Amino acid sequence: MRNVQLPIDISMFYNASLFERGLPSGAFAHRHLVASAAVEIRNITISNLTATHCKSPGNILCDKARPCTAIHMDDVTVSATPGAFQCSNAHGDAHDVSPASCLTP
């Protein structure tokens, strides 16, 4: 991938009313996100991914009450500024990942 904003974007959070009204994403939208109690994210594998000229390596954002589990990252390289993945309540393992993975075991 080249020139993508977020090569990896996994999130349990949304605001249906923002989507229905067609409001743009951004700071306003992020302040009004809610987690869906019906969503469970697990057993995700991201492998053999190379991305350059990105705005951010990516996000894996999960709810504390329903954390994401068994997320696997293998052979993932992302060139981005800022150069760190953002994770919240995301658990799994990573091998050969740059920048360093934010997943917790």
Side-chain angles (χ1 to χ4, degrees), residues 7-8 49-52 54 56-58 76-80 83 85 98-99:
I8 298 171
L49 174 75
T50 301
T52 60
C54 303
S56 171
V76 174
T77 302
V78 179
S79 170
F85 285 102
S98 177

Side-chain angles (χ1 to χ4, degrees), residues 40-57:
E40 182 175 353
I41 298 174
R42 60 185 164 96
N43 297 325
I44 303 289
T45 299
I46 303 164
S47 64
N48 301 317
L49 174 75
T50 301
T52 60
H53 301 95
C54 303
K55 293 192 181 220
S56 171

Side-chain angles (χ1 to χ4, degrees), residues 22-97:
L23 294 177
S25 62
F28 173 81
H30 291 291
R31 286 193 309 265
H32 297 88
L33 296 178
V34 294
S36 171
V39 174
E40 182 175 353
I41 298 174
R42 60 185 164 96
N43 297 325
I44 303 289
T45 299
I46 303 164
S47 64
N48 301 317
L49 174 75
T50 301
T52 60
H53 301 95
C54 303
K55 293 192 181 220
S56 171
N59 304 315
I60 303 175
L61 306 174
C62 308
D63 189 47
K64 185 176 183 178
R66 293 182 72 92
C68 296
T69 59
I71 308 295
H72 310 284
M73 297 175 76
D74 184 44
D75 191 24
V76 174
T77 302
V78 179
S79 170
T81 303
F85 285 102
Q86 299 296 313
C87 289
S88 177
N89 304 301
H91 306 282
D93 57 78
H95 305 280
D96 197 21
V97 175

Side-chain angles (χ1 to χ4, degrees), residues 13-25 29 32-34:
F13 300 93
Y14 75 100
N15 185 326
S17 66
L18 290 177
F19 294 114
E20 290 168 5
R21 292 183 291 186
L23 294 177
S25 62
H32 297 88
L33 296 178
V34 294

